[in-house]
Amino acid sequence: MTTQALLQVLASGLLMGLIYALIAVGLSLIFGLMDVVNFAHGEFLMTAMYVVFGLFLFTALDPVLFAPVAAAVLFCVGALAYLGIVRFAMRAKANQGMVQIFATFGLATLLQGAAQYFLTPDYRSIGNSWLGGKTLDLGGVFLPWPQMFGGLVSIAAFGGLYLLMSRTDFGKALEATREDQGAVALVGIDRNRVFALGWGLGAALVGLAGAVLAIFYYIHPQVGATFGLIAYVTVALGGFGSVFGALVAGVIVGLVEALTAAFLPPAMKSLGIFALYLGVVFIRPSGLFGKL
Amino acid sequence: MTDEALNLPPAFGMLPRRRNQLLVAAAVFAAIAVSPFAIKDVYLQNVLVLTLLYAAVSQSWNILGGYCGQISLGHALYFGIGAYATSVLFVTYGIVPWGGMLVGGILSAAIALLLGYPCFRLKGHYFSIATIVIAEIGLLLVHNWDFVGGALGIQWPFGSDSWATLQFARDKVPYIHLALALLAITWFVTFLIEGSRWGYWWRAVKDNPEAAESLGVEIFHSKMAAAAVSAFFTAIGGAFYASFLAYIDPESVMSFRFSLLFALPAVLGGIGTLWGPVVGAAILIPLTEITRSYLGGSGSGIDLIIYGGLIMLVALAKPEGILSLFQGKRQKAEGRS
């Protein structure tokens, strides 16, 4: 493999990795806040992709413009999922872990079924957009603009998340609630409200990722399953609850996947990620940056 | 540490509660055994076979996931190993499925022990995700392994009906009895374990590993033993499934969907209980099959809406499982918590 080809592989892997990080960070955020793994995370992504696709069909405007809309819609979806489902799952007295897994898995199945029933199982894609099909030539390394846009949105989102967590009252409330759920009630923070906002924020982040993916990826009811699994592996690799871990793990996953695909048959491209995950947790049982 | 020191009851049921459970099981299984005299419809018989099979495999999952508290979401791997070992040995080497069943079971138990070494160091979600990942690796490898048919899978040859080759093209009743036998065996094994020292150890490992360890429970060996038994019977279920379908491919025996389908009945019925997986399967499987056949096929998605909604409803409304509806009063009456 020539240096040029290797650079191409690494550049594609890096861009996809930033998008994986953006998909995973919401999952990690929610887990860090309240120890709940959302098994419907992939389906949140799918919902965001359909939101962008639908708006594109009805307004004929460019999909790039809909990223904030998708984030806003998903914020509501996330907050509602907490208020309508997860809040009750957390009240379970027996085997809470399983109840949460299956309550959110039930939601995932329901969303998938609804997409299939109302939107048909067809594969859709957004045909022409400002960025679609255009590439940036960096001395022989070609970077597709949709993926570049995704990488930039991801970096911006992580920057914004950092500011939100460190500079705002909401960020402080989030941090305090994750440290000690009982104590925050004593200083007048409504735990339920923080959780609902946390779920909204986590879903809004995956909403951004979905909006970016919709520009260059096929949209179909099962799309969430593929990215969902990658998101779980990414979060566990980085360490559950660690925002920084999600960013680093996302990039690593993207690079490893691109390298595996370059050397093994395309069907085996996930093998590298899976092997990497097992390799890491067998040595460090709580992931790269996990505190557990 | 001896049984007396742990103040355990004797392993074999002198207790009236355990004797009653045996009698109930005998009655239930006998009723299912004669049910084909009443259920002549082939479609319903098919549903019954699947219900019994999922109950049996879920019972096997329950040994590791329910009693020992290690939530595996990768049992499709063991199911697939059973199905593939049986199919390859029968189709390629002409070894009757009974032999393949045993080979698959032992192979699965051995692999479970091998994987247990690194995996049981992991806790909670890290463990569950590792089991998903390992099963997905298995699926990828089988997909790309031509010797076992690759993506195309393995078609069993058509032959005459026979108990030796487990092929019954016209009559579904033998499959009902086979699946019932598997369920009865897994139920009885679980019953024996529940009353034995292993049963107490596993529940201790699940409820409070630190306390269990300080009382001398071998946590690591407990988990390994549970994993091996659980994998063995899951593989037998896979072997049966292969002979029932007479055709397997990677997706139809090893996809992630199966891992969830093995955990679900136990969770819905009552995790870590003797009858939970049976009750869960008896409700879940007929409902899945019937919504799938009567509400416009599996493509429309309406079956998924009902299925997903039901899982959510049960998980939220009855987190201890459906069985707890009946058990609450009796346990209080007996003074057990």
Side-chain angles (χ1 to χ4, degrees), chain A:
Chain A
M1 182 179 267
T2 62
T3 320
Q4 186 122 8
L6 187 67
L7 280 176
Q8 177 71 58
V9 167
L10 292 177
S12 316
L14 175 69
L15 291 181
M16 207 56 213
L18 285 168
I19 298 175
Y20 286 152
L22 185 57
I23 298 173
V25 68
L27 192 65
S28 194
L29 195 75
I30 292 169
F31 181 88
L33 187 62
M34 52 205 281
D35 286 6
V36 172
V37 171
N38 174 20
F39 269 72
H41 199 69
E43 278 61 35
F44 283 6
L45 183 83
M46 178 222 20
T47 309
M49 291 173 81
Y50 272 111
V51 166
V52 171
F53 180 73
L55 287 170
F56 170 74
L57 278 192
F58 286 114
T59 63
L61 292 171
D62 195 83
V64 166
L65 302 171
F66 301 132
V69 186
V73 171
L74 264 289
F75 183 90
C76 302
V77 170
L80 281 176
Y82 171 74
L83 293 172
I85 298 158
V86 181
R87 187 158 56 114
F88 300 103
M90 289 179 73
R91 285 187 196 159
K93 287 183 196 76
N95 53 71
Q96 239 196 41
M98 288 306 277
V99 173
Q100 287 159 4
I101 289 179
F102 282 99
T104 54
F105 168 71
L107 176 66
T109 312
L110 192 135
L111 285 173
Q112 233 183 68
Q116 232 175 70
Y117 186 69
F118 295 109
L119 306 167
T120 77
D122 294 346
Y123 278 55
R124 326 254 191 174
S125 61
I126 290 177
N128 42 26
S129 59
W130 294 341
L131 301 175
K134 295 194 179 65
T135 53
L136 175 72
D137 182 355
L138 275 181
V141 175
F142 294 93
L143 300 176
W145 269 108
Q147 277 89 330
M148 284 275 285
F149 175 65
L152 291 174
V153 167
S154 173
I155 292 169
F158 271 96
L161 189 61
Y162 174 74
L163 291 179
L164 184 77
M165 302 283 276
S166 58
R167 300 279 164 82
T168 65
D169 283 346
F170 170 64
K172 282 174 194 150
L174 215 59
E175 192 60 38
T177 313
R178 98 200 263 170
E179 294 275 319
D180 189 336
Q181 295 187 9
V184 292
L186 298 176
V187 294
I189 295 173
D190 180 358
R191 200 179 66 149
N192 251 326
R193 224 180 105 202
V194 174
F195 282 167
L197 290 172
W199 268 76
L201 181 61
L205 287 163
V206 78
L208 272 182
V212 166
L213 271 180
I215 301 174
F216 65 95
Y217 205 86
Y218 287 106
I219 305 161
H220 57 104
Q222 271 81 41
V223 73
T226 323
F227 287 102
L229 183 59
I230 294 179
Y232 302 129
V233 172
T234 306
V235 169
L237 183 66
F240 274 102
S242 167
V243 168
F244 179 65
L247 177 59
V248 175
V251 171
I252 293 176
V253 163
L255 290 173
V256 168
E257 187 190 57
L259 285 170
T260 318
F263 292 106
L264 289 180
M268 309 274 273
K269 73 171 183 179
S270 306
L271 202 61
I273 308 175
F274 294 156
L276 173 78
Y277 170 72
L278 293 179
V280 168
V281 292
F282 287 165
I283 297 165
R284 280 185 63 89
S286 50
L288 292 172
F289 301 98
K291 286 182 218 156
L292 286 172

Side-chain angles (χ1 to χ4, degrees), chain A residues 31 35-37 39 84-86 88-90 92-95 97-110 112-114 116-118 121 222 229 232-233 235-241 265 267-271 273-275 277-278 281-287 290-292, chain B residues 61 65 71-73 115 117-134 136-138 140-141 143-144 206 256-257 259-261 263-264 267-268 270-271 295 297-316 318-321:
Chain A
F31 181 88
D35 286 6
V36 172
V37 171
F39 269 72
I85 298 158
V86 181
F88 300 103
M90 289 179 73
K93 287 183 196 76
N95 53 71
M98 288 306 277
V99 173
Q100 287 159 4
I101 289 179
F102 282 99
T104 54
F105 168 71
L107 176 66
T109 312
L110 192 135
Q112 233 183 68
Q116 232 175 70
Y117 186 69
F118 295 109
Q222 271 81 41
L229 183 59
Y232 302 129
V233 172
V235 169
L237 183 66
F240 274 102
M268 309 274 273
K269 73 171 183 179
S270 306
L271 202 61
I273 308 175
F274 294 156
Y277 170 72
L278 293 179
V281 292
F282 287 165
I283 297 165
R284 280 185 63 89
S286 50
K291 286 182 218 156
L292 286 172
Chain B
W61 179 89
I71 305 301
S72 158
L73 293 176
L115 293 173
Y117 255 101
C119 285
F120 285 134
R121 292 179 59 218
L122 305 177
K123 295 200 175 72
H125 296 297
Y126 291 97
F127 174 80
S128 298
I129 289 177
T131 60
I132 299 178
V133 162
I134 289 169
E136 287 291 315
I137 290 178
L140 271 177
L141 293 179
H143 242 289
N144 292 281
K206 171 180 156 181
F256 177 57
R257 199 170 64 89
S259 294
L260 283 168
L261 272 175
L264 259 179
V267 175
L268 294 187
I271 190 169
L295 291 173
S298 46
S300 82
I302 191 93
D303 56 329
L304 290 179
I305 297 180
I306 293 176
Y307 184 59
L310 179 91
I311 294 169
M312 234 159 55
L313 203 71
V314 176
L316 296 180
K318 263 286 145 218
E320 307 84 12

Side-chain angles (χ1 to χ4, degrees), chain B residues 67-199:
Chain B
Y67 285 95
C68 202
Q70 306 301 304
I71 305 301
S72 158
L73 293 176
H75 261 47
L77 177 72
Y78 305 127
F79 194 74
I81 289 172
Y84 267 96
T86 310
S87 301
V88 169
L89 286 176
F90 180 55
V91 177
T92 316
Y93 299 103
I95 297 168
V96 290
W98 295 97
M101 209 174 249
L102 206 62
V103 171
I106 292 168
L107 191 63
S108 277
I111 288 176
L113 290 176
L114 215 64
L115 293 173
Y117 255 101
C119 285
F120 285 134
R121 292 179 59 218
L122 305 177
K123 295 200 175 72
H125 296 297
Y126 291 97
F127 174 80
S128 298
I129 289 177
T131 60
I132 299 178
V133 162
I134 289 169
E136 287 291 315
I137 290 178
L139 179 65
L140 271 177
L141 293 179
V142 170
H143 242 289
N144 292 281
W145 189 11
D146 290 333
F147 176 67
V148 299
L152 290 176
I154 301 174
Q155 170 78 53
W156 286 37
F158 293 106
S160 52
D161 289 11
S162 140
W163 276 94
T165 60
L166 294 184
Q167 288 303 289
F168 307 98
R170 269 148 285 171
D171 190 7
K172 296 288 168 205
V173 177
Y175 286 122
I176 295 179
H177 289 141
L178 274 168
L180 176 64
L182 182 60
L183 173 60
I185 292 170
T186 53
W187 185 90
F188 189 64
V189 167
T190 313
F191 173 80
L192 287 182
I193 287 170
E194 200 174 64
S196 77
R197 173 161 46 180
W198 282 112

